Amino acid sequence: MSWITQAELRRDTPQARHLAYQLLNASRSNSHHDLVWNLFADDPGAARDFLYREAGQGRFLIVSSREPNGSPDVWVTRTRPYTPALAAGERYGFSLRANPTVSLSRPGRARSHRADVMMEAKRKKGAPLTPEEREAVALDWLQARGDGLGVRFERDRCGVMRQDRSTLPRGISLAVVDYDGELTVEAPERLREALTAGVGRGKAFGMGLLLLHRLAG
């Protein structure tokens, strides 16, 4: 069973203020990940098998394989079982925050390497991308993953709400793209797996959580 949780860091207790100071002021790239991990720290040896999205001001949406067990002195949480009932042919609205990358082979090397799709498209063009080209590259990346996720993204009903970069220590940066749109379910089991396993890379930095909502009418 999986769980979906809305969690908000309290501001009115010394325990919560101390934890936030320790982690959010630590200049670490995974500070939010470590903050969410505090909800599961009753078993330090367990895998960090959760997805999350940061919603601002100490609020997080989390999908996990274990029920959170955070201290009520630190967190206000609302948790329920997450068992999406899906059927082929159903249409949903979706949102996704993702780190679009592509795997590239390297001459003379057995292993491929990951590249930012925007940077790769810019390299191929030999010039900066226009906003329209950036959106097209982002949507191409999303659409190409539809079959593996068990869905068909309705391209004419999908858009890029935000494109940004997240700067990590040592000058490393990740592309961050917020998608919004509609999809059709084609393989329910693959989609259920994607909802708990995530989409793309950058999961430790709050990316990959695919959220669905029923469409009106």
Side-chain angles (χ1 to χ4, degrees), residues 62 76 85 104 141-142 153 155 171 178 182 200 203 213:
I62 304 158
V76 176
L104 300 175
W141 179 90
L142 181 69
F153 291 106
R155 177 69 176 252
D178 283 354
E182 296 181 15
K203 298 180 182 68
H213 61 270

Side-chain angles (χ1 to χ4, degrees), residues 13 17 30 44 58 68 77 133:
T13 68
R17 288 194 294 268
N30 61 344
T77 60
E133 289 171 332

Side-chain angles (χ1 to χ4, degrees), residues 11-212:
R11 299 176 177 82
D12 58 346
T13 68
Q15 296 92 329
R17 288 194 294 268
H18 178 67
L19 179 66
Y21 179 81
Q22 277 189 314
L23 296 179
L24 299 182
N25 295 319
S27 299
R28 293 204 303 269
S29 61
N30 61 344
S31 58
H32 281 148
H33 183 274
D34 288 346
L35 190 59
V36 174
W37 173 240
N38 177 263
L39 286 160
F40 304 93
D42 56 306
D43 184 1
R48 299 197 177 196
D49 47 359
F50 58 81
L51 301 169
Y52 74 95
R53 184 182 299 181
E54 192 267 333
Q57 298 183 339
R59 297 192 303 272
F60 299 88
L61 185 62
I62 304 158
V63 170
S64 59
S65 61
R66 291 188 291 135
E67 188 173 5
N69 191 29
S71 167
D73 291 327
V74 177
W75 295 99
V76 176
T77 60
R78 293 186 296 276
T79 300
R80 59 180 173 83
Y82 187 49
T83 55
L86 304 169
E90 291 182 326
R91 292 170 63 92
Y92 288 90
F94 77 91
S95 64
L96 171 68
R97 178 168 296 163
N99 168 227
T101 64
V102 62
S103 180
L104 300 175
S105 60
R106 294 183 288 184
R109 298 191 181 185
R111 297 182 62 182
S112 60
H113 76 285
R114 289 279 173 178
D116 181 317
V117 292
M118 300 297 172
M119 299 302 291
E120 179 62 12
K122 178 182 176 181
R123 184 190 67 80
K124 287 182 176 179
K125 180 183 178 183
L129 304 180
T130 67
E132 294 77 15
E133 289 171 332
R134 290 177 62 83
E135 181 169 30
V137 169
L139 289 173
D140 286 346
W141 179 90
L142 181 69
Q143 193 168 26
R145 274 138 193 84
D147 184 62
L149 302 175
V151 305
R152 181 178 71 253
F153 291 106
E154 306 299 340
R155 177 69 176 252
D156 60 341
R157 295 180 177 270
C158 294
V160 172
M161 311 308 293
R162 178 179 74 109
Q163 293 192 42
D164 204 349
R165 300 199 71 82
S166 178
T167 302
L168 309 181
R170 294 178 292 186
I172 300 171
S173 66
L174 296 177
V176 181
V177 178
D178 283 354
Y179 296 94
D180 192 78
E182 296 181 15
L183 58 79
T184 299
V185 180
E186 295 191 330
E189 288 304 318
R190 288 207 297 273
L191 178 54
R192 286 191 191 95
E193 181 179 357
L195 292 174
T196 56
V199 181
R201 300 172 72 85
K203 298 180 182 68
F205 308 106
M207 288 174 269
L209 177 55
L210 177 64
L211 298 171
L212 304 182

